[in-house]
Amino acid sequence: MKIKIAAFTALFFIAVTWMVESCKTSEEISYKPGALLWGENCARCHNAPSPDAFSDAQWDVIGTHMKIRATLTDDEVKKITEFLKSGN
Amino acid sequence: MKKILFINTFILSASLACSQDTLSLQQQINSAKPGKTHFLFTGYAFSEFKFSEDGNSFLAGSFAPIFLVKPSDKVFFEAEIETEFEEGELMIELEYADINYSIAKNMTVRAGKFLLPFGTFAERLHPAWINRLPSKPLGFDHNGVGPFSDVGVELRGGLQTGKSKTNYAFYVVNGAVLDDGMNNSATAGMLMYENYEDNNKNKTIGGRIGFLPFSNSSLEIGISGQYGKVGTDKTIYENVFAQMFAADFSYMKSFEKLKSVIDIKGQINMVNVDKADYADTSAMGAYTFDNKNTAYYSQISLRPALSKNKIIQNIEAVARYSSITQPEKSLWAENAVQWDFGLNYWLGWRSVLKLAYQIHQPEMMKQENIFTVQMAIGL
């Protein structure tokens, strides 16, 4: 029984350590530009929109809508929205 | 003296006119400023023509306006109204209307009627300008196998977990209602979704966890579940519960050699309702059955988007297989399999002309073949 508790405790700490460690954004991801994230994320469901399709204010609304609907991360949405605004 | 008075009057008039011009310009600039409240009217629409052995017909299609309002950085409202003609009548449905509040960077709470994250088809892929085929997979429409939308509260968000990503959504809703067959014995045991008022005190819980293991977000795997009472309080069905599970996947990748983008998607929904006795009004007796329902689909599309030819890069080929299995001993089982083949031409990033051929094979019945032409647009 003690062995089982010890094994469970060890596994639990390994799992927690892995989760905490993995939650850190890797450098590779943090340097990704908005244009790349736009291509990778929008096209998962629909064609990637043209940056000149909407105004800056409208991109703000769409960014929030997509953050909620497609459960994108906050950083992704900020970068993608900035990239789309730069097309106006 | 008169000359001085005239000059003063002239200068005053000129300066007044000038200041009015400046004011007018300032008003124009102010009116062009978006302000803090951002609003967007969007949505989608489609129209189609169907050829089948039963007849050929233009169908009015559907118009689904979507209203998005962002009053502040933390608050957001979305609503969609779906309008379509069905059997000569204009049907108007509230697809969703929910208020969202951003609690933290990667956590949003929302309340109202919302599309449920039970898999991905209902929530992300069903709009006509996103769905690659004119039809929905078998069992994936409203009141299919598994929920489409419901009324309640939800917590959701997306997290960067190293090079991979994880997203989550957990909700509490009214839940499905068990049809007890009192109004129509032929539908006894069916689940009715999208109930604005609950039929019992119990609330239904559910959620989805999605995992994107690759840093380019090309693959997403998700699992979903929902559990709750479906029987009406103070009836013989008050202890009837339903367990629902779904698994979904999506994989998208560009292949340089094929000059194409390949998109593979799929989902399986399973709904199990506790066994119960139902009245058979025609035989004046009671009967029961294993109330287990399954629907699944898998779809592949290929678009030579990397081709230099502008016409070829807008063509897309799609194939989908879907299946629905319902309880054999129920009076409403409609087991069937379906193949859909499509050829699309993208006129823009959100407008598409779809040509599709469907082979629908119901169990123990004659096969139906339908050819559909659909024009869909995202607004």
Side-chain angles (χ1 to χ4, degrees):
Chain A
M1 186 65 185
K2 282 180 181 174
I3 294 169
K4 279 185 182 175
I5 293 170
F8 176 79
T9 311
L11 276 174
F12 178 77
F13 277 107
I14 291 167
V16 169
T17 311
W18 176 80
M19 281 175 73
V20 170
E21 185 59 31
S22 68
C23 280
K24 287 180 186 170
T25 306
S26 72
E27 274 194 14
E28 183 191 336
I29 303 296
S30 58
Y31 289 123
K32 270 193 177 187
L36 185 61
L37 292 167
W38 161 76
E40 286 177 354
N41 287 284
C42 305
R44 279 164 45 206
C45 294
H46 54 73
N47 293 323
S50 167
D52 62 4
F54 296 101
S55 70
D56 286 6
Q58 289 171 330
W59 281 128
D60 271 335
V61 179
I62 293 166
T64 307
H65 182 50
M66 286 297 104
K67 180 184 171 184
I68 296 164
R69 178 62 58 87
T71 48
L72 300 177
T73 68
D74 192 59
D75 291 340
E76 282 174 335
V77 172
K78 278 179 183 162
K79 284 185 181 178
I80 293 169
T81 309
E82 283 311 309
F83 161 70
L84 290 166
K85 284 179 178 179
S86 70
N88 286 324
Chain B
M1 187 64 189
K2 275 184 182 175
K3 270 185 184 174
I4 292 167
L5 194 66
F6 175 76
I7 289 164
N8 281 344
T9 311
F10 177 76
I11 290 168
L12 190 66
S13 309
S15 62
L16 268 174
C18 190
S19 70
Q20 272 178 351
D21 279 351
T22 312
L23 192 66
S24 167
L25 189 65
Q26 191 61 48
Q27 280 172 341
Q28 281 177 34
I29 291 166
N30 287 344
S31 68
K33 281 182 183 172
K36 282 185 179 175
T37 299
H38 292 178
F39 172 81
L40 179 66
F41 168 73
T42 177
Y44 60 94
F46 68 86
S47 190
E48 60 191 17
F49 186 76
K50 281 194 177 182
F51 301 85
S52 71
E53 287 175 14
D54 296 336
N56 305 331
S57 179
F58 283 106
L59 299 171
S62 173
F63 167 51
I66 296 174
F67 305 92
L68 306 174
V69 186
K70 190 178 174 186
S72 72
D73 284 343
K74 287 188 175 291
V75 182
F76 183 75
F77 172 80
E78 58 171 10
E80 179 186 327
I81 297 163
E82 208 169 68
T83 64
E84 63 183 323
F85 276 102
E86 260 186 29
E87 295 170 1
E89 282 186 33
L90 176 65
M91 308 293 286
I92 300 174
E93 292 285 335
L94 181 66
E95 185 84 332
Y96 57 82
D98 52 85
I99 301 163
N100 300 260
Y101 184 78
S102 174
I103 299 174
K105 224 171 100 173
N106 291 317
M107 187 181 282
T108 302
V109 63
R110 64 176 171 172
K113 188 185 184 207
F114 47 84
L115 295 173
L116 289 178
F118 189 74
T120 51
F121 188 83
E123 189 179 50
R124 301 184 196 169
L125 306 173
H126 86 274
W129 74 279
I130 296 175
N131 186 3
R132 297 294 197 263
L133 286 155
S135 62
K136 293 187 177 85
L138 287 174
F140 283 83
D141 210 337
H142 292 270
N143 286 314
V145 176
F148 207 90
S149 65
D150 211 324
V151 183
V153 184
E154 185 197 55
L155 204 62
R156 63 164 46 214
L159 303 161
Q160 191 73 52
T161 44
K163 288 182 182 177
S164 60
K165 281 192 298 186
T166 306
N167 54 61
Y168 64 90
F170 301 107
Y171 56 83
V172 181
V173 292
N174 283 341
V177 169
L178 180 74
D179 188 333
D180 56 12
M182 297 302 262
N183 293 328
N184 179 6
S185 61
T187 55
M190 272 179 97
L191 288 185
M192 297 177 290
Y193 299 99
E194 301 174 27
N195 302 294
Y196 291 98
E197 283 183 30
D198 207 347
N199 63 329
N200 53 52
K201 287 176 186 166
N202 177 276
K203 290 287 162 273
T204 293
I205 55 166
R208 176 181 180 273
I209 292 179
F211 183 57
L212 295 90
F214 304 137
S215 62
N216 62 4
S217 303
S218 58
L219 175 69
E220 181 173 6
I221 302 160
I223 50 164
S224 315
Q226 184 173 306
Y227 179 74
K229 187 190 278 190
V230 293
T232 306
D233 277 343
K234 295 175 184 170
T235 69
I236 58 165
Y237 304 106
E238 68 178 347
N239 291 319
V240 178
F241 282 71
Q243 307 92 41
M244 307 182 194
F245 307 96
D248 61 84
F249 75 91
S250 166
Y251 181 68
M252 194 173 181
K253 190 152 177 58
S254 300
F255 289 91
E256 194 62 48
K257 281 184 184 173
L258 294 170
K259 301 274 179 209
S260 298
V261 176
I262 291 180
D263 186 1
I264 304 169
K265 286 186 166 50
Q267 185 175 327
I268 182 166
N269 288 2
M270 289 175 283
V271 174
N272 299 333
V273 182
D274 291 346
K275 229 172 175 180
D277 291 328
Y278 302 102
D280 184 349
T281 50
S282 58
M284 298 298 283
Y287 69 105
T288 187
F289 53 87
D290 274 333
N291 199 342
K292 293 180 177 175
N293 306 260
T294 306
Y296 65 87
Y297 82 91
S298 54
Q299 176 182 295
I300 183 165
S301 65
L302 184 143
R303 183 176 172 186
L306 309 178
S307 165
K308 285 176 184 170
N309 186 305
K310 283 191 176 177
I311 292 173
I312 291 173
Q313 67 183 211
N314 290 323
I315 294 172
E316 184 178 47
V318 198
R320 183 174 70 202
Y321 178 77
S322 60
S323 164
I324 183 167
T325 309
Q326 292 175 312
E328 271 182 33
K329 289 179 182 174
S330 71
L331 303 178
W332 40 269
E334 285 183 7
N335 297 340
V337 295
Q338 188 171 290
W339 276 102
D340 289 271
F341 301 97
L343 198 62
N344 302 333
Y345 188 78
W346 288 93
L347 303 160
W349 69 272
R350 53 184 167 172
S351 48
V352 58
L353 179 68
K354 305 176 198 173
L355 308 176
Y357 186 70
Q358 183 182 86
I359 304 164
H360 180 78
Q361 180 62 68
E363 197 177 63
M364 313 287 280
M365 286 172 77
K366 197 183 157 198
Q367 177 181 301
E368 290 175 273
N369 301 330
I370 302 167
F371 181 70
T372 309
V373 181
Q374 186 189 68
M375 178 77 194
I377 184 168
L379 303 171

